[in-house]
Each structure stands twice: as structure tokens, then as C-alpha cells.
């Protein structure tokens, strides 16, 4: 099935970009088992709805292909060794409600891009060495419940 093949391809790229062979737990990744049996993946109706791989020794960069996971509701990659930039394509996954990318080495992204996530309930990008201004648009995220920006190099206030 084309949808399965595309999802497998995206997850394969994610695994390769983040040095999956060195993860602390990579059980069933790249196997023929259903996605919900791959460590850290959550599915809803056979679509990937969550990636939950905190404290798992992910290293490298996020691939731009993640945007093909159009049913993704949450991603938790906190406390890993991800570096570089968040690809602009990531910000087109408008289904995301919870993003935890804290305690990594992500330095190159525009915080204003997170304002595209109208359903966002929680955003954790603290402890990443991000520089810049806190965007005004954060005050328009009506569903936000948790916003963590500390331990970065940010200026400005949140209204």
C-alpha cells in the first residue's frame, strides 16, 4: 500500500538521520512489524499519531520528510542530542498539539514558526541555545497550556 510505503520511508529516514543504530532502544525499528510495535511510535487507525523517544540517544538532525506524517499529534524528543535546525517543512504539520524538543542542541529555528500550530497545547523548546525575540504571536495560541522557553538566549516579553 502506498501510504504504508511512504510512512516506512519517512520513518527509515528519521532513523538514519538520528543515528537509530545508536539509540538506547530501537526495538522493531525498520522491521516488518506493525508501526505500533516499533519502540516510541503511537498509531491511530494505522497512522502515526505520536513519536515518543525522549532520553534515547538520538543524534543528528531532524529530516524534512517528517511533514509527510500528517496525522502526527505529538512529538517528544526531549533530552537527546539533536542538533542543527528544525526543517521548515516540520512547521507544516498543523495537526501537532504537543511538541517537546527541549534539552537538545537545536539552535537554528525561528520561534515564530510555532505560531502556525493553532491546536498547540504544549511547546517545550527550553535548553536549546535558541537566540532571538519571543514572538508576539504566542499570545494568540488560544489552546496553549504549557510553554517552556527557558535556558535559551531570548529577549522580549510574553503578553
Amino acid at each position: 500500500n502506498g501510504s504504508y510505503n511512504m510512512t516506512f520511508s519517512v520513518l527509515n529516514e528519521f532513523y538514519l538521520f538520528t543515528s537509530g543504530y545508536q539509540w538506547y532502544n530501537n526495538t522493531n525499528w525498520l522491521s516488518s512489524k506493525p508501526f505500533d510495535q516499533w519502540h516510541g511510535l503511537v498509531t491511530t487507525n494505522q497512522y502515526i499519531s505520536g513519536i515518543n523517544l525522549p532520553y534515547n540517544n538520538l543524534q543528528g538532525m531532524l529530516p524534512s520528510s517528517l511533514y509527510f506524517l500528517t496525522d502526527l499529534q505529538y512529538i517528544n524528543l526531549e533530552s537527546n542530542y539533536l542538533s542543527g535546525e528544525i526543517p521548515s517543512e516540520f512547521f507544516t504539520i498543523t495537526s501537532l498539539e504537543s511538541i517537546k524538543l527541549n534539552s537538545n542542541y537545536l539552535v537554528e529555528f525561528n520561534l515564530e514558526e510555532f505560531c502556525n500550530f493553532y491546536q498547540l497545547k504544549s511547546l517545550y523548546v527550553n535548553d536549546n541555545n535558541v537566540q532571538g525575540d519571543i514572538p508576539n504571536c504566542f499570545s494568540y495560541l488560544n489552546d496553549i497550556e504549557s510553554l517552556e522557553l527557558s535556558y535559551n538566549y531570548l529577549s522580549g516579553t510574553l503578553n
Side-chain angles (χ1 to χ4, degrees):
N1 152 336
S3 177
Y4 174 87
N5 290 339
M6 175 59 75
T7 301
F8 187 91
S9 177
V10 169
L11 294 173
N12 178 57
E13 188 168 288
F14 176 79
Y15 183 86
L16 294 174
F17 269 57
T18 60
S19 303
Y21 58 92
Q22 293 183 335
W23 295 356
Y24 297 138
N25 188 340
N26 59 11
T27 302
N28 293 331
W29 273 77
L30 308 185
S31 74
S32 58
K33 302 229 179 207
F35 294 134
D36 63 354
Q37 293 181 26
W38 293 21
H39 174 74
L41 292 185
V42 177
T43 61
T44 304
N45 299 322
Q46 298 182 341
Y47 295 100
I48 307 299
S49 57
I51 299 176
N52 191 31
L53 294 168
Y55 303 95
N56 203 34
N57 201 37
L58 279 69
Q59 301 173 32
M61 298 174 66
L62 294 174
S64 60
S65 60
L66 282 178
Y67 82 95
F68 282 110
L69 302 178
T70 56
D71 294 290
L72 196 61
Q73 294 176 328
Y74 72 91
I75 187 165
N76 180 356
L77 303 176
E78 77 174 285
S79 297
N80 280 292
Y81 300 94
L82 298 171
S83 59
E85 63 183 72
I86 298 174
S88 59
E89 293 86 354
F90 176 83
F91 298 103
T92 65
I93 311 172
T94 56
S95 57
L96 277 168
E97 295 178 9
S98 177
I99 302 169
K100 291 186 176 181
L101 298 173
N102 50 303
S103 301
N104 279 287
Y105 299 94
L106 300 166
V107 293
E108 297 179 32
F109 59 88
N110 181 352
L111 281 174
E112 199 159 327
E113 299 261 27
F114 288 103
C115 295
N116 295 329
F117 300 114
Y118 300 110
Q119 301 178 81
L120 199 60
K121 292 184 171 102
S122 60
L123 173 62
Y124 295 82
V125 291
N126 50 300
D127 195 19
N128 265 306
N129 298 318
V130 177
Q131 299 180 23
D133 295 325
I134 297 172
N136 291 333
C137 60
F138 277 1
S139 59
Y140 301 115
L141 294 174
N142 295 329
D143 294 336
I144 199 84
E145 296 167 4
S146 301
L147 176 64
E148 184 58 66
L149 305 172
S150 62
Y151 298 102
N152 285 300
Y153 300 99
L154 301 173
S155 57
T157 58
L158 190 59
N159 298 328

